[in-house]
Amino acid sequence: MRSYGQYCPIARGAEIFAERWTPVIIRNLHLGCGSFGEILEGAPGLSRTLLSQRLKQLERLGIVASAPKSDGRGRHYELTPAGRDLFKVCGALGEWGARWLEIAPEHLDPFVALWSMCNALRRDRLPDRRVVVRFDFTGPRGPERYWLLIEHAETEICRTYPGVDEDLYVTAEAEAFVKWHAGRLPWAEATRDGLIRLHGPSGLVRAFPTWNAKSAFAHVRPAPRPPAGAAA
């Protein structure tokens, strides 16, 4: 970790927080990702080697704590009081990003939105039986397909066919699904315009949008943008 060589708390804090992937790792731990695999799943593009390095670094700094799992397989990770305090910086950064930054094509990863949705599902509204939902996404990244398994209020995302019949089919444009979860696109508008389509029993079709608690920053209203070419 390179140092700015300054006593300023902003500079010293940035030495830790501004390391690539560190804010995402802290976010995932805050969301309850306790295992190495869970943290990695919510950070597409992060290598296992770099995640291992970052976790060791954050442990040395007293931001993350770990302990062997009870079954002896791997370790369980969690934020320390210092780490929970540092997440407030993540929250402030997220609010700034939601207010001032637009969602660009390179941000339209439907898996990340689906993963985020699963971490914010309203457990009390989920079906009391096993439900399998298939998602077919279209967009600039090409077609993508995932399955969401829901059972006993627990969820799992599968990249390959899970071997059980689907109960509900969701076909969506990646941009629409991302923006719906981010709170930028109303469900009624997305379905009215055919950007998100559901097929299955009417009860599940009606219930599906109520499961989504949306992004933690869905309440943040984007700042008005000046017209293209206008002076700032």
Side-chain angles (χ1 to χ4, degrees), residues 1-16:
M1 183 175 65
R2 299 180 64 181
S3 171
Y4 289 109
Q6 299 183 19
Y7 71 87
C8 170
I10 293 176
R12 288 187 287 121
E15 289 173 357
I16 299 169

Side-chain angles (χ1 to χ4, degrees), residues 3 42 47 50 66 97 104 147 162 199 218 224:
S3 171
S47 71
L50 185 54
S66 74
W147 287 264
H199 304 278

Side-chain angles (χ1 to χ4, degrees), residues 26 30 62-64 78-89:
I26 292 172
H30 172 78
I63 294 169
V64 172
E78 62 181 19
L79 295 174
T80 65
R84 293 192 292 272
D85 218 25
L86 186 57
F87 177 75
K88 296 175 184 177
V89 181

Side-chain angles (χ1 to χ4, degrees), residues 37-212:
E38 289 172 341
I39 299 169
L40 193 66
E41 184 181 41
L46 173 59
S47 71
R48 298 181 66 88
T49 300
L50 185 54
L51 175 56
S52 179
Q53 292 173 355
R54 287 288 184 271
L55 287 172
K56 290 176 181 177
Q57 179 187 58
L58 292 171
E59 283 199 75
R60 287 196 301 270
L61 294 167
I63 294 169
V64 172
S66 74
K69 290 184 179 179
S70 57
D71 60 7
R73 299 180 180 179
R75 302 183 70 82
H76 175 80
Y77 298 90
E78 62 181 19
L79 295 174
T80 65
R84 293 192 292 272
D85 218 25
L86 186 57
F87 177 75
K88 296 175 184 177
V89 181
C90 290
L93 182 63
E95 290 201 7
W96 180 86
R99 180 168 290 112
W100 293 103
L101 301 179
E102 295 188 25
I103 298 176
E106 61 266 28
H107 305 141
L108 300 177
D109 186 340
F111 176 83
V112 173
L114 183 58
W115 178 87
S116 178
M117 173 182 164
C118 287
N119 279 279
L121 286 174
R122 293 172 170 163
R123 307 285 169 176
D124 59 323
R125 299 192 180 185
L126 295 180
D128 56 5
R129 62 179 180 87
R130 185 179 70 187
V131 171
V132 179
V133 185
R134 192 180 87 186
F135 293 83
D136 287 295
F137 295 108
T138 58
R141 297 161 53 96
E144 298 181 58
R145 176 174 291 174
Y146 304 102
W147 287 264
L148 171 62
L149 278 63
I150 302 173
E151 189 166 15
H152 303 304
E154 297 296 324
T155 61
E156 180 183 357
I157 301 174
C158 299
R159 296 176 183 269
T160 58
Y161 178 58
V164 289
D165 293 339
E166 297 97 339
D167 301 288
L168 183 65
Y169 299 86
V170 179
T171 305
E173 293 186 11
E175 180 176 7
F177 190 82
V178 170
K179 289 187 174 180
W180 167 60
H181 179 65
R184 301 285 185 89
L185 178 66
W187 178 257
E189 181 179 336
T191 53
R192 181 198 67 205
D193 295 342
L195 303 175
I196 300 177
R197 301 183 298 277
L198 276 66
H199 304 278
S202 59
L204 287 178
V205 169
R206 289 193 302 269
F208 176 80
T210 72
W211 302 344
N212 181 22

